[in-house]
mmCIF file of all heavy atoms in Angstrom:
data_model
loop_
_atom_site.group_PDB
_atom_site.id
_atom_site.type_symbol
_atom_site.label_atom_id
_atom_site.label_comp_id
_atom_site.label_asym_id
_atom_site.label_seq_id
_atom_site.Cartn_x
_atom_site.Cartn_y
_atom_site.Cartn_z
ATOM 1 N N VAL A 120 112.259 121.930 73.472
ATOM 2 C CA VAL A 120 111.218 122.958 73.392
ATOM 3 C C VAL A 120 109.875 122.270 73.582
ATOM 4 O O VAL A 120 109.597 121.235 72.948
ATOM 5 C CB VAL A 120 111.250 123.699 72.046
ATOM 6 C CG1 VAL A 120 110.100 124.699 71.956
ATOM 7 C CG2 VAL A 120 112.586 124.411 71.860
ATOM 8 N N GLN A 121 109.064 122.790 74.465
ATOM 9 C CA GLN A 121 107.733 122.243 74.651
ATOM 10 C C GLN A 121 106.727 123.389 74.729
ATOM 11 O O GLN A 121 107.088 124.546 74.951
ATOM 12 C CB GLN A 121 107.656 121.364 75.903
ATOM 13 C CG GLN A 121 107.669 122.108 77.216
ATOM 14 C CD GLN A 121 107.568 121.166 78.404
ATOM 15 O OE1 GLN A 121 108.307 120.194 78.497
ATOM 16 N NE2 GLN A 121 106.643 121.454 79.314
ATOM 17 N N THR A 122 105.482 123.030 74.529
ATOM 18 C CA THR A 122 104.412 124.036 74.538
ATOM 19 C C THR A 122 103.799 124.114 75.918
ATOM 20 O O THR A 122 103.509 123.084 76.541
ATOM 21 C CB THR A 122 103.335 123.687 73.504
ATOM 22 O OG1 THR A 122 103.932 123.609 72.207
ATOM 23 C CG2 THR A 122 102.236 124.740 73.489
ATOM 24 N N VAL A 123 103.625 125.328 76.397
ATOM 25 C CA VAL A 123 102.977 125.539 77.686
ATOM 26 C C VAL A 123 101.642 126.246 77.447
ATOM 27 O O VAL A 123 101.552 127.194 76.667
ATOM 28 C CB VAL A 123 103.880 126.378 78.628
ATOM 29 C CG1 VAL A 123 104.223 127.723 78.033
ATOM 30 C CG2 VAL A 123 103.217 126.558 79.985
ATOM 31 N N HIS A 124 100.600 125.721 78.084
ATOM 32 C CA HIS A 124 99.260 126.300 77.953
ATOM 33 C C HIS A 124 98.919 127.059 79.232
ATOM 34 O O HIS A 124 99.227 126.608 80.337
ATOM 35 C CB HIS A 124 98.229 125.199 77.703
ATOM 36 C CG HIS A 124 98.507 124.383 76.474
ATOM 37 N ND1 HIS A 124 98.210 124.817 75.200
ATOM 38 C CD2 HIS A 124 99.084 123.150 76.337
ATOM 39 C CE1 HIS A 124 98.565 123.901 74.326
ATOM 40 N NE2 HIS A 124 99.096 122.869 74.986
ATOM 41 N N PHE A 125 98.259 128.193 79.073
ATOM 42 C CA PHE A 125 97.918 128.999 80.240
ATOM 43 C C PHE A 125 96.735 129.907 79.923
ATOM 44 O O PHE A 125 96.377 130.104 78.752
ATOM 45 C CB PHE A 125 99.112 129.833 80.699
ATOM 46 C CG PHE A 125 99.720 130.700 79.624
ATOM 47 C CD1 PHE A 125 99.337 132.031 79.473
ATOM 48 C CD2 PHE A 125 100.676 130.178 78.750
ATOM 49 C CE1 PHE A 125 99.889 132.831 78.492
ATOM 50 C CE2 PHE A 125 101.235 130.974 77.761
ATOM 51 C CZ PHE A 125 100.845 132.302 77.623
ATOM 52 N N THR A 126 96.135 130.410 80.980
ATOM 53 C CA THR A 126 94.999 131.323 80.810
ATOM 54 C C THR A 126 95.450 132.758 81.034
ATOM 55 O O THR A 126 96.324 133.026 81.856
ATOM 56 C CB THR A 126 93.870 130.988 81.802
ATOM 57 O OG1 THR A 126 94.390 131.017 83.130
ATOM 58 C CG2 THR A 126 93.279 129.620 81.502
ATOM 59 N N VAL A 127 94.863 133.652 80.280
ATOM 60 C CA VAL A 127 95.180 135.076 80.382
ATOM 61 C C VAL A 127 93.894 135.832 80.739
ATOM 62 O O VAL A 127 92.854 135.638 80.099
ATOM 63 C CB VAL A 127 95.758 135.621 79.069
ATOM 64 C CG1 VAL A 127 96.012 137.126 79.182
ATOM 65 C CG2 VAL A 127 97.038 134.882 78.701
ATOM 66 N N ARG A 128 93.970 136.643 81.758
ATOM 67 C CA ARG A 128 92.816 137.448 82.154
ATOM 68 C C ARG A 128 92.776 138.714 81.308
ATOM 69 O O ARG A 128 93.649 139.571 81.409
ATOM 70 C CB ARG A 128 92.902 137.792 83.634
ATOM 71 C CG ARG A 128 91.689 138.548 84.147
ATOM 72 C CD ARG A 128 91.829 138.897 85.615
ATOM 73 N NE ARG A 128 90.652 139.583 86.119
ATOM 74 C CZ ARG A 128 90.547 140.071 87.347
ATOM 75 N NH1 ARG A 128 91.554 139.942 88.204
ATOM 76 N NH2 ARG A 128 89.444 140.688 87.726
ATOM 77 N N GLU A 129 91.764 138.815 80.476
ATOM 78 C CA GLU A 129 91.635 139.973 79.593
ATOM 79 C C GLU A 129 90.793 141.085 80.209
ATOM 80 O O GLU A 129 90.958 142.257 79.888
ATOM 81 C CB GLU A 129 91.037 139.536 78.255
ATOM 82 C CG GLU A 129 91.926 138.534 77.515
ATOM 83 C CD GLU A 129 91.340 138.120 76.185
ATOM 84 O OE1 GLU A 129 90.139 138.375 75.971
ATOM 85 O OE2 GLU A 129 92.091 137.565 75.372
ATOM 86 N N ALA A 130 89.845 140.704 81.083
ATOM 87 C CA ALA A 130 88.974 141.658 81.767
ATOM 88 C C ALA A 130 88.389 140.932 82.965
ATOM 89 O O ALA A 130 88.509 139.715 83.080
ATOM 90 C CB ALA A 130 87.871 142.158 80.826
ATOM 91 N N PRO A 131 87.786 141.666 83.886
ATOM 92 C CA PRO A 131 87.168 140.985 85.034
ATOM 93 C C PRO A 131 86.232 139.871 84.577
ATOM 94 O O PRO A 131 85.319 140.089 83.766
ATOM 95 C CB PRO A 131 86.402 142.115 85.746
ATOM 96 C CG PRO A 131 87.166 143.345 85.391
ATOM 97 C CD PRO A 131 87.628 143.132 83.981
ATOM 98 N N GLN A 132 86.493 138.656 85.056
ATOM 99 C CA GLN A 132 85.704 137.462 84.769
ATOM 100 C C GLN A 132 85.749 137.049 83.298
ATOM 101 O O GLN A 132 84.916 136.272 82.835
ATOM 102 C CB GLN A 132 84.236 137.652 85.212
ATOM 103 C CG GLN A 132 84.090 137.891 86.712
ATOM 104 C CD GLN A 132 82.651 138.005 87.136
ATOM 105 O OE1 GLN A 132 81.746 138.170 86.314
ATOM 106 N NE2 GLN A 132 82.420 137.917 88.442
ATOM 107 N N ILE A 133 86.732 137.575 82.554
ATOM 108 C CA ILE A 133 86.914 137.182 81.152
ATOM 109 C C ILE A 133 88.335 136.649 80.990
ATOM 110 O O ILE A 133 89.312 137.379 81.188
ATOM 111 C CB ILE A 133 86.675 138.359 80.182
ATOM 112 C CG1 ILE A 133 85.242 138.883 80.325
ATOM 113 C CG2 ILE A 133 86.947 137.933 78.747
ATOM 114 C CD1 ILE A 133 84.948 140.075 79.458
ATOM 115 N N TYR A 134 88.445 135.364 80.632
ATOM 116 C CA TYR A 134 89.740 134.714 80.468
ATOM 117 C C TYR A 134 89.818 134.066 79.090
ATOM 118 O O TYR A 134 88.790 133.654 78.528
ATOM 119 C CB TYR A 134 89.948 133.638 81.540
ATOM 120 C CG TYR A 134 90.033 134.187 82.956
ATOM 121 C CD1 TYR A 134 88.877 134.420 83.707
ATOM 122 C CD2 TYR A 134 91.265 134.462 83.534
ATOM 123 C CE1 TYR A 134 88.949 134.926 84.989
ATOM 124 C CE2 TYR A 134 91.350 134.958 84.819
ATOM 125 C CZ TYR A 134 90.188 135.196 85.546
ATOM 126 O OH TYR A 134 90.281 135.682 86.820
ATOM 127 N N SER A 135 90.996 133.999 78.563
ATOM 128 C CA SER A 135 91.204 133.318 77.285
ATOM 129 C C SER A 135 92.346 132.321 77.437
ATOM 130 O O SER A 135 93.243 132.504 78.254
ATOM 131 C CB SER A 135 91.534 134.329 76.179
ATOM 132 O OG SER A 135 92.758 134.995 76.470
ATOM 133 N N LEU A 136 92.298 131.250 76.673
ATOM 134 C CA LEU A 136 93.341 130.227 76.704
ATOM 135 C C LEU A 136 94.428 130.587 75.707
ATOM 136 O O LEU A 136 94.138 130.926 74.556
ATOM 137 C CB LEU A 136 92.743 128.855 76.370
ATOM 138 C CG LEU A 136 93.711 127.670 76.431
ATOM 139 C CD1 LEU A 136 94.235 127.478 77.853
ATOM 140 C CD2 LEU A 136 93.017 126.398 75.943
ATOM 141 N N SER A 137 95.651 130.535 76.151
ATOM 142 C CA SER A 137 96.777 130.876 75.292
ATOM 143 C C SER A 137 97.855 129.803 75.417
ATOM 144 O O SER A 137 97.807 128.952 76.314
ATOM 145 C CB SER A 137 97.344 132.247 75.678
ATOM 146 O OG SER A 137 98.377 132.623 74.792
#
Side-chain angles (χ1 to χ4, degrees):
V120 176
Q121 73 179 50
T122 302
V123 58
H124 302 281
F125 54 94
T126 56
V127 177
R128 184 181 182 184
E129 298 181 345
Q132 298 183 346
I133 300 177
Y134 295 85
S135 63
L136 183 63
S137 184

